[in-house]
Amino acid sequence: MALDALFFGAHPDDVELTSGGLAALLASHGHAVGIADLTRGEAGTRGDASERAAESAAAARVLGAAWRGALGLPDLGIARGDRAQLRAVVACLREHRPRLVVAPHADDAHPDHVEASHLVARACYIAGLAGFEAPGERHRPGRALFALYRSAAPPHLVVDVSAVWERRMEALRMHASQLEPGRGPATYLTAPEFLLEVESRARAFGALIGARFGEGYRMRGPVPVADARALLAGGAR
């Protein structure tokens, strides 16, 4: 199906952790939003692939996503130079033809997040090349954003997600196998302060633009301004 925006995560809970607010906002405005989980999270410390798939589907419903799927790349094995993996992402882009793509930012401790960032960025360009052999007609998204998580990089833009904050957190809580203590080995996601950390990060991004909660993104190239009147929005606070 054709999508207005397609969000990529290396693992089934990554979009909810980084860019679920933007996904929910776009969906609330009637845009077709999709989520592509590159892996099924099968190598994670907690939760098997089938359990995580059910959680992901529930989270997608909360966010209002029109489509969610897993590309089946190997967990702990995402590789930007793997041609088969590149072909899978290109095929996904050509099938859904999004105007906007959101991917992880490359400044991250998890190697899958780093590789996913480079893989999706490369695929966004290559999907527009007729000579690359992958299913579907060539298509190049108009814009790609890279969602900040545990990165020291300053955002190029911050999206006010205050209006959908509770929905974003409800979607994140759908990933109970990853968050709830007592269901497996302890991880940093099961620590009592983890959700407070998520909220604190969003409050810090929001404070940069005078909002309660925000999500930070970086992008390649300058931000285009086709209508100069857009610069007049907001004003002093």
Side-chain angles (χ1 to χ4, degrees):
M1 66 180 299
L3 298 169
D4 294 309
L6 182 54
F7 290 70
F8 285 90
H11 309 103
D13 55 354
D14 286 346
V15 168
E16 289 82 348
L17 278 169
T18 61
S19 49
L22 177 56
L25 273 177
L26 291 174
S28 72
H29 290 301
H31 294 289
V33 171
I35 301 172
D37 301 315
L38 295 180
T39 78
R40 296 184 173 88
E42 69 276 6
T45 302
R46 295 159 56 100
D48 59 28
S50 61
E51 183 177 18
R52 301 198 70 179
E55 293 172 343
S56 297
R61 288 192 292 269
V62 171
L63 293 175
W67 174 85
R68 186 168 199 162
L71 300 193
L73 305 191
D75 194 1
L76 295 182
I78 298 177
R80 73 189 83 172
D82 187 307
R83 193 171 182 85
Q85 294 186 26
L86 179 62
R87 188 173 185 271
V89 179
V90 167
C92 183
L93 291 169
R94 288 179 175 177
E95 177 182 359
H96 297 292
R97 313 186 73 77
R99 291 185 285 163
L100 170 68
V101 163
V102 181
H105 187 252
D107 182 14
D108 194 281
H110 198 303
D112 274 350
H113 298 175
V114 176
E115 293 300 308
S117 181
H118 290 285
L119 179 63
V120 174
R122 188 177 180 203
C124 283
Y125 184 84
I126 290 176
L129 299 178
F132 185 80
E133 293 185 1
E137 297 182 6
R138 64 191 185 97
H139 169 75
R140 185 170 294 149
R143 181 167 298 156
L145 298 179
F146 298 90
L148 297 174
Y149 183 48
R150 291 185 161 184
S151 172
H156 291 146
L157 58 92
V158 175
V159 177
D160 182 352
V161 297
S162 305
V164 294
W165 178 250
E166 293 305 324
R167 192 183 314 172
R168 182 191 196 270
M169 292 303 289
E170 182 184 354
L172 178 56
R173 291 188 182 96
M174 291 297 103
H175 295 277
S177 68
Q178 307 303 299
L179 297 174
E180 290 184 1
R183 296 184 55 168
T187 70
Y188 81 95
L189 279 78
T190 63
E193 63 274 11
F194 174 71
L195 291 180
L196 290 176
E197 177 189 318
V198 172
E199 179 177 327
S200 297
R201 185 176 296 110
R203 286 188 179 277
F205 281 134
L208 295 174
I209 59 170
R212 287 179 62 226
F213 299 105
E215 290 176 346
Y217 297 89
R218 290 179 68 84
M219 60 185 296
R220 294 181 177 179
V223 178
V225 178
D227 186 341
R229 291 173 296 178
L231 300 174
L232 300 177
R237 294 182 180 270

